[in-house]
Amino acid sequence: MEILYNVEDKPPTGTSLILAAQHLLAALGAIITVPLVVGGVLGLPVEDIVVLVNAAMLVSGVVTIIQCKGVGPVGIRLPCVMGTSFTFVGVSIAIGFEHGVAGILGSALVASLVMIIGSFFMPLIRKFFPPIVTGTVVTLIGLSLIPVAVDWFAGGQVGSEGYASLPNLAIGMLVLITVVLLSMFGKGILSAAAVVIGMVVGFIVCVTLGLVDFTPVQEAPLFALPSPFHFGLSFPISGIIGMSIAYLVTIVESTGDFLALSNVTKTKLTGKKLSSGILCDGLGSALASIFSTTPFSSFSQNVGIIGMTGVASRYVVAITGAMLILAGLFPVIGALVVAIPLPVLGGAGLVMFAMIITAGINILSETKHSKRNGIIIAVSIGAGMAVTVRPELLSQLPDFIKVILASGITTGSLIALLLNAILPDGDVVDFDEEDELTEALITAESSVAEELATTKEVPSTS
């Protein structure tokens, strides 16, 4: 995909608002899902869950703006949407049952030092991500998101009422076709805003068919102020250790997201930039704890939007941050976005997430075609997808190992890093190289023969 707006470009205001709305629509559902899941499992009262959700949207907006525009050494200065991370769901619930929400937030606040301190070592860590590892990680990010998009497309989770019903599939297909056609044949804003236009078309059809539940909009408060330290803070040692492991996992996942972002925006990701991005992740998560919500990380799905639309402007995504702040202050806005039926999200999500896979394949296509690299790619992606599609594979392992390997992206990334470090390089000749070597030898032999023939003395006939 060609870049329509580069990282430093500033599209016209109207255009920027539409393009920013695309990122909001793609991210908001995931941002509020984590606090909803954690609050629901812990049995919190509705008013406390509302605090978690509002804080998630508000802090997401603030951290997104900092990540995009930068404040001193903080922020990667690329179009990166930030939000609550699913990596922390399991450990948050475990801590919450024993120590309450105060234990979750206090543990997350202290453990965020792992990410903050770790950010200063990213220039060194960056050296462990050559293209063979980077391409594998980016491909895994896209592949891991595809099952999410498929469930959205079908209208829920396998076994839920109406899953894969004909109306759901038809709506998802309508959005998918609209997005593809506008991306391929649209000009200017029609192509750049293909995702949001496709979702609007799908949403209008759903409203017409009576498939939109506006109850969340009617029940949502019009305005809400943030509530710092609403639940208080406590600092259980077991919780801090669990959160620290989750932050280590997040460093790997965020590194993969930033590498993918660098690829689709066609910018160089230096160790210093990577350090600034991870530092923003850590500080943002600390801020989330103070404002009463769960920790943060970068969002992979928004990388797909950039890859598909060619809109890489960090100023556009900074506007998305401002929209998230408004959604946090005016929950009714967020509720309207949440009311969008899942098949509408799925139709757009399939294309967006598949574009991340394409970015990964493009990186891998530039690497050396050897048996060694083939093994790294195959084993890493195979292991990552095994965990993604069959998480039960980890059910008998100790809890701390399950926290580390629960994400297919992390599992595949760690294996790619390990194999790249231990497998010998340079001593494996692939088929292409053998063919080239054989051809070179034949050419050389022919040249020598010709030279001997021309220099050989011819007998005189006189």
Side-chain angles (χ1 to χ4, degrees), residues 48-390:
D48 283 346
I49 295 178
V50 169
V51 169
L52 287 171
V53 170
N54 290 344
M57 293 187 288
L58 181 66
V59 180
S60 291
V62 172
V63 182
T64 295
I65 292 172
I66 295 173
Q67 195 73 278
C68 292
K69 305 197 76 171
V71 177
V74 183
I76 197 169
R77 291 169 172 81
L78 289 176
C80 180
V81 176
M82 303 294 296
T84 50
S85 173
F86 283 89
T87 303
F88 296 90
V89 170
V91 67
S92 294
I93 291 172
I95 296 170
F97 275 132
E98 190 170 351
H99 303 284
V101 180
I104 297 173
L105 302 181
S107 299
L109 179 61
V110 174
S112 66
L113 290 172
V114 170
M115 206 166 197
I116 294 170
I117 295 171
S119 69
F120 295 102
F121 296 92
M122 295 314 294
L124 175 63
I125 294 174
R126 177 67 180 90
K127 297 176 183 178
F128 291 96
F129 285 86
I132 184 63
V133 176
T134 300
T136 302
V137 172
V138 173
T139 304
L140 258 175
I141 291 172
L143 288 171
S144 298
L145 289 171
I146 290 296
V148 176
V150 171
D151 283 340
W152 287 352
F153 198 98
Q157 299 293 320
V158 176
S160 61
E161 184 180 356
Y163 186 86
S165 64
L166 289 180
N168 285 343
L169 298 182
I171 292 165
M173 188 60 67
L174 171 66
V175 175
L176 175 65
I177 292 173
T178 303
V179 172
V180 170
L181 290 178
L182 288 174
S183 297
M184 286 297 299
F185 305 109
K187 301 295 182 183
I189 187 64
L190 288 179
S191 175
V195 174
V196 70
I197 295 174
M199 292 178 69
V200 168
V201 170
F203 186 74
I204 291 173
V205 170
C206 288
V207 171
T208 303
L209 297 176
L211 300 177
V212 180
D213 180 11
F214 286 102
T215 303
V217 181
Q218 297 166 354
E219 295 179 350
L222 180 62
F223 180 76
L225 287 171
S227 302
F229 303 110
H230 176 82
F231 300 97
L233 298 172
S234 64
F235 308 98
I237 298 298
S238 59
I240 293 172
I241 294 173
M243 280 289 181
S244 296
I245 295 172
Y247 274 114
L248 288 172
V249 172
T250 304
I251 289 176
V252 177
E253 291 186 343
S254 291
T255 298
D257 288 341
F258 293 148
L259 290 168
L261 190 60
S262 170
N263 180 262
V264 298
T265 58
K266 294 180 170 55
T267 57
K268 184 178 180 181
L269 183 63
T270 63
K272 183 178 180 181
K273 263 195 167 184
L274 184 57
S275 176
S276 297
I278 298 297
L279 179 59
C280 187
D281 266 20
L283 292 174
S285 293
L287 186 67
S289 296
I290 293 171
F291 276 85
S292 309
T293 197
T294 52
F296 280 38
S297 69
S298 53
F299 266 28
S300 305
Q301 53 264 49
N302 295 85
V303 178
I305 292 181
I306 296 167
M308 187 177 64
T309 63
V311 179
S313 170
R314 61 191 177 109
Y315 298 99
V316 166
V317 178
I319 294 174
T320 301
M323 291 179 174
L324 284 167
I325 292 174
L326 288 176
L329 294 174
F330 298 92
V332 68
I333 298 175
L336 182 61
V337 175
V338 174
I340 297 174
L342 289 177
V344 175
L345 295 173
L350 272 177
V351 188
M352 292 188 300
F353 301 161
M355 287 302 297
I356 301 177
I357 300 174
T358 302
I361 293 173
N362 287 338
I363 298 173
L364 292 175
S365 68
E366 299 172 1
T367 62
K368 177 182 176 183
H369 296 282
S370 67
K371 185 182 294 185
R372 171 189 184 272
N373 286 350
I375 289 173
I376 293 174
I377 296 168
V379 176
S380 303
I381 291 181
M385 291 310 297
V387 172
T388 299
V389 300
R390 288 291 182 269

Side-chain angles (χ1 to χ4, degrees), residues 387-388 391 394 401-411:
V387 172
T388 299
L394 307 174
I401 294 180
K402 283 194 283 188
V403 170
I404 295 173
L405 301 182
S407 165
I409 298 171
T410 304
T411 300

